[in-house]
Amino acid sequence: MADIATREAYGLEFSTVHWNLTAPALYEEAIKRGEAKVGANGPLIVDTGKFTGRSPKDKFIVRDESTENLVDWKSSFNQSMTPDAFANLKAGMRAFMQDRDLFVQDLYVGTDEGYQIPVRIITQYAWHSLFARNLLIRQAPTDSPGLYTVIDLPGFRANPDRHGSLSNTVIAMNLKERLVLIGNTEYAGEIKKSLFSIMNYELPQRYVLPMHCSANHDDKGKVAVYFGLSGTGKTTLSADPNRILIGDDEHGWSNAGVFNFEGGCYAKVIDLSAESEPEIYATTQTFGTILENIGYDPDTRVPDFKDRSKTENTRAAYPIGHIPNASKTGRGGHPKDIIFLSADAFGVLPPISKLSREQAMYYFLSGYTAKVAGTERGVTEPTATFSSCFGAPFLPLRPSVYAELLGKKIDQHQVNVWLINTGWTGGPYGVGSRMRLSYTRAMLRAALDGELNDVPMVTHPVFGLNIPAHCSGVPSEILDPRNTWLDKEGYDAQTKKLAEMFKKNFKQFEASVSETVIKAGPY
């Protein structure tokens, strides 16, 4: 139990505080409060209410003298909040916490001791406390000056007039006070991503590149990192039984190498099966794992991972140790390969291509993938999604800051960069088919093993990408995407359409990058 001074600092004088409870105790508290059910074989099943994902329009950063010249206020994701509004919000939350049961976890973000940040997570829900315990690093920090605090109260409703929010939901970060306030959302992922935003703010100022990527290494320590937006295969491809998993989502790249920000994984589990993803599937049959918004048999509590009646964004949150081949240290050397993952629903991009340094910076800043028809109301054809550095919602600084860091590290460590399309082949969504996972894994394996280094390359006529002429385990005809389309003219038209989308999106970066990077995009 924390001392009286610590309780007073957080406004917990009259609250019942459960400090650093273990998983079994948090299970008991969550079930007693009606927050969760126990699933078959032991996972905790939860429902996040109306919020089944993040709420980026409700996220704010306090604009003051410390952030005025650092934060990219032109980004739609970096909405400003005044110090006075934040003070009112903090006072409202302190009042809300009085006489309530609260759960606190003292944890760390970052496996590298030179760059890790101590965090204190104060939550209203027991299962949110377990989520934080699963996803972060379980070492109790001291009350050091570097401590960040997250206060997460799903039952608190913000008042836009008083608190400077746009709705009753709010995620507000005060980087000067090292305090994050989250209200009126049961989606625990807001905790995780708020801390990622903090690392994206803190680390570039110390020449460390924060990355929205997974990472693993082979038995010789050769590291690969995988950038990609949700649904592109970042978690799936990094959970390779023949490689050591460093982490599945968030990392830093320092002068010493790559290190995981987290101590757990937050995997998307829609359509999960034991056959296609055995390592991740096994975690869903394990005590301590949290299953979010999944369908399940009400009697047997057996999960139905094909059930998307609640959301496509069904998730499993588990300690990284649930993956048998996970790294014990969460650290690795400098990457030898960088992989950009894109699920191209237009069916245009090659399944694998090798990028020059300038192309790497272009496609990193572009952060492209595509939504498919039917996943959102009103979406009837593929929709391009561009997210700077594959993580625009979590970038407090200008995207060029991260891209410049990436370019310097690619040069310094002579890194191979690959673009892999895990999306459609033979036509767009609705006509073609999704690239077979077995083919993607074969191409990835060939790239990481150096097999493609000496293979002849064919240049894509519009995107300028270097496409391997052949790859073991993969039919040669699928390597050039135009060959897979029956309607060649249709492919050409679709290619031109997507190229124009890239060029239109990249105009926002043209003033901050070199001419060679601009010319590295589609013609």
Side-chain angles (χ1 to χ4, degrees):
M1 180 64 65
D3 59 30
I4 293 174
T6 302
R7 291 169 64 89
E8 288 178 348
Y10 296 102
L12 309 179
E13 302 95 322
F14 305 106
S15 304
T16 300
V17 182
H18 303 276
W19 217 278
N20 291 318
L21 293 187
T22 61
L26 290 168
Y27 260 61
E28 291 171 355
E29 296 292 342
I31 293 164
K32 182 171 68 176
R33 288 167 169 73
E35 298 174 6
K37 292 181 170 64
V38 177
N41 298 312
L44 198 68
I45 298 175
V46 301
D47 187 309
T48 64
K50 69 176 183 178
F51 289 96
T52 59
R54 293 179 298 101
S55 186
K57 293 181 180 179
D58 293 306
K59 193 187 89 170
F60 299 86
I61 299 174
V62 172
R63 190 167 187 165
D64 56 23
E65 72 280 2
S66 68
T67 59
E68 178 64 42
N69 296 321
L70 282 175
V71 171
D72 179 18
W73 298 112
K74 292 181 179 179
S75 168
S76 61
F77 296 106
N78 295 329
Q79 300 179 104
S80 65
M81 176 178 281
T82 67
D84 287 345
F86 186 86
N88 290 340
L89 178 62
K90 181 167 65 172
M93 286 196 166
R94 284 174 68 101
F96 180 88
M97 290 191 290
Q98 300 303 312
D99 300 316
R100 293 183 184 274
D101 279 10
L102 297 170
F103 300 87
V104 179
Q105 292 286 331
D106 287 325
L107 303 159
Y108 275 109
V109 182
T111 55
D112 187 328
E113 293 180 2
Y115 302 104
Q116 65 187 188
I117 291 177
V119 293
R120 177 161 290 151
I121 313 295
I122 302 172
T123 65
Q124 180 184 353
Y125 285 2
W127 83 260
H128 279 203
S129 193
L130 179 61
F131 177 92
R133 183 178 171 82
N134 279 358
L135 267 292
L136 301 178
I137 298 163
R138 301 176 190 171
Q139 301 176 43
T142 59
D143 287 323
S144 68
L147 178 71
Y148 270 88
T149 301
V150 177
I151 299 177
D152 165 59
L153 306 174
F156 176 85
R157 291 169 61 84
N159 182 317
D161 293 333
R162 187 182 309 129
H163 301 136
S165 60
L166 294 178
S167 71
N168 298 131
T169 301
V170 66
I171 303 97
M173 301 193 316
N174 189 318
L175 296 165
K176 182 179 180 181
E177 292 188 17
R178 296 176 177 262
L179 178 61
V180 179
L181 304 177
I182 302 172
N184 195 49
T185 173
E186 297 180 48
Y187 185 66
E190 297 287 10
I191 299 171
K192 164 188 163 71
K193 288 307 184 186
S194 293
L195 294 171
F196 185 42
S197 295
I198 287 166
M199 297 299 269
N200 276 302
Y201 176 76
E202 295 276 358
L203 293 186
Q205 300 177 61
R206 303 173 65 185
Y207 195 69
V208 177
L209 175 64
M211 304 179 291
H212 187 205
C213 70
S214 57
N216 60 23
H217 66 76
D218 64 14
D219 56 4
K220 296 179 181 177
K222 185 180 176 185
V223 173
V225 298
Y226 309 74
F227 288 91
L229 302 177
S230 178
T232 58
K234 191 161 79 294
T235 297
T236 299
L237 292 171
S238 60
D240 183 333
N242 298 311
R243 296 176 66 86
I244 302 299
L245 177 68
I246 300 172
D248 85 318
D249 194 42
E250 300 169 5
H251 294 79
W253 186 355
S254 72
N255 286 332
V258 169
F259 64 97
N260 195 356
F261 288 169
E262 302 179 302
C265 302
Y266 195 34
K268 203 167 184 179
V269 294
I270 196 70
D271 294 326
L272 181 70
S273 71
E275 295 72 31
S276 63
E277 301 174 70
E279 292 79 22
I280 296 173
Y281 183 85
T283 70
T284 68
Q285 312 297 302
T286 306
F287 177 85
T289 292
I290 299 169
L291 298 180
E292 287 184 358
N293 300 319
I294 63 161
Y296 59 93
D297 185 290
D299 297 321
T300 66
R301 307 278 177 84
V302 172
D304 177 3
F305 293 116
K306 294 187 180 299
D307 187 334
R308 48 196 8 100
S309 58
K310 173 75 176 179
T311 178
E312 290 266 345
N313 192 37
T314 54
R315 295 272 180 171
Y318 49 88
I320 195 169
H322 284 191
I323 298 290
N325 59 322
S327 168
K328 303 299 183 186
T329 65
R331 299 175 65 178
H334 296 290
K336 298 300 181 185
D337 294 276
I338 292 173
I339 297 95
F340 296 154
L341 298 169
S342 173
D344 176 26
F346 293 92
V348 167
L349 295 182
I352 186 168
S353 50
K354 191 171 185 179
L355 306 184
S356 67
R357 176 194 183 277
E358 289 72 25
Q359 286 176 324
M361 293 184 69
Y362 184 96
Y363 285 94
F364 183 63
L365 282 167
S366 298
Y368 167 72
T369 191
K371 296 176 183 176
V372 299
T375 58
E376 292 186 8
R377 186 172 59 186
V379 179
T380 57
E381 62 178 23
T383 304
T385 298
F386 296 96
S387 185
S388 309
C389 311
F390 297 95
F394 322 116
L395 305 182
L397 311 181
R398 296 183 307 279
S400 59
V401 171
Y402 308 97
E404 287 168 9
L405 259 178
L406 178 72
K408 289 176 181 178
K409 289 183 179 292
I410 288 173
D411 287 342
Q412 184 179 357
H413 301 289
Q414 297 297 297
V415 186
N416 293 317
V417 185
W418 308 89
L419 177 64
I420 290 183
N421 174 19
T422 61
W424 273 256
T425 181
Y429 175 81
V431 177
S433 59
R434 190 83 188 252
M435 183 66 61
R436 289 187 190 178
L437 182 57
S438 60
Y439 289 164
T440 298
R441 283 181 166 148
M443 289 182 280
L444 177 60
R445 192 160 48 246
L448 299 184
D449 289 347
E451 178 188 318
L452 301 183
N453 290 345
D454 299 319
V455 169
M457 296 283 178
V458 177
T459 302
H460 191 280
V462 175
F463 279 83
L465 300 168
N466 291 313
I467 307 167
H470 56 84
C471 176
S472 60
V474 181
S476 294
E477 60 268 21
I478 75 165
L479 294 173
D480 184 338
R482 191 174 190 271
N483 290 341
T484 67
W485 283 52
L486 293 176
D487 179 6
K488 308 299 184 189
E489 292 183 357
Y491 175 81
D492 294 340
Q494 191 85 313
T495 300
K496 183 178 179 181
K497 177 181 177 182
L498 182 59
E500 291 304 315
M501 293 179 190
F502 266 89
K503 288 187 275 190
K504 181 180 178 181
N505 173 72
F506 204 79
K507 287 187 179 300
Q508 64 184 302
F509 306 119
E510 288 181 352
S512 59
V513 300
S514 68
E515 187 68 21
T516 56
V517 172
I518 297 171
K519 289 182 177 179
Y523 307 137

